C-alpha cells in the first residue's frame, strides 16, 4: 500500500490488494488538473462541497455523500 500526503490531501493506493484507491481531504479547495485514475476511486465528503467533472458531466458532492470515479474516467 502506498500512502501520500500533499497539503491536506491523503491518497491511499490499495490497487494491488483490493483494486481501489481512496482519497481523504481536509478543507479541500484545490482545483486538480484534468486527469484519470488507474483504478476505481472512492471518496466521501464529510463537510463542505466537492465539485468535479467526470465524462464531461459536472457533479456536486455534499456532506454524507460518497462518490465513485471509474478507472480511466
Amino acid at each position: 500500500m502506498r500512502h501520500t500526503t500533499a497539503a491536506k490531501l491523503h491518497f491511499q493506493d490499495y490497487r494491488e490488494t483490493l483494486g481501489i484507491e481512496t482519497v481523504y481531504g481536509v478543507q479541500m479547495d484545490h482545483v486538480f488538473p484534468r486527469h484519470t485514475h488507474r483504478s476505481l476511486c472512492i471518496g466521501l465528503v464529510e463537510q463542505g462541497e466537492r465539485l468535479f467533472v467526470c465524462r464531461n458531466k459536472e457533479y456536486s458532492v455534499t456532506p454524507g455523500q460518497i462518490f465513485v470515479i471509474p478507472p480511466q474516467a
Side-chain angles (χ1 to χ4, degrees):
M1 173 185 76
R2 184 182 78 209
H3 178 120
T4 2
T5 302
K8 297 174 184 171
L9 177 69
H10 306 278
F11 171 83
Q12 292 183 315
D13 184 344
Y14 298 100
R15 285 176 292 163
E16 291 186 22
T17 56
L18 301 174
I20 64 170
E21 299 170 299
T22 62
V23 178
Y24 179 77
V26 177
Q27 298 176 347
M28 291 296 301
D29 60 2
H30 180 75
V31 176
F32 293 93
R34 185 179 174 136
H35 65 281
T36 61
H37 294 260
R38 294 174 287 187
S39 64
L40 185 68
C41 183
I42 301 170
L44 166 69
V45 174
E46 293 180 313
Q47 296 178 13
E49 178 182 28
R50 189 71 186 146
L51 302 171
F52 65 94
V53 176
C54 183
R55 296 184 175 160
N56 296 317
K57 185 173 178 184
E58 188 172 297
Y59 295 89
S60 169
V61 187
T62 57
Q65 293 184 318
I66 295 172
F67 62 91
V68 178
I69 301 173
Q72 306 305 319

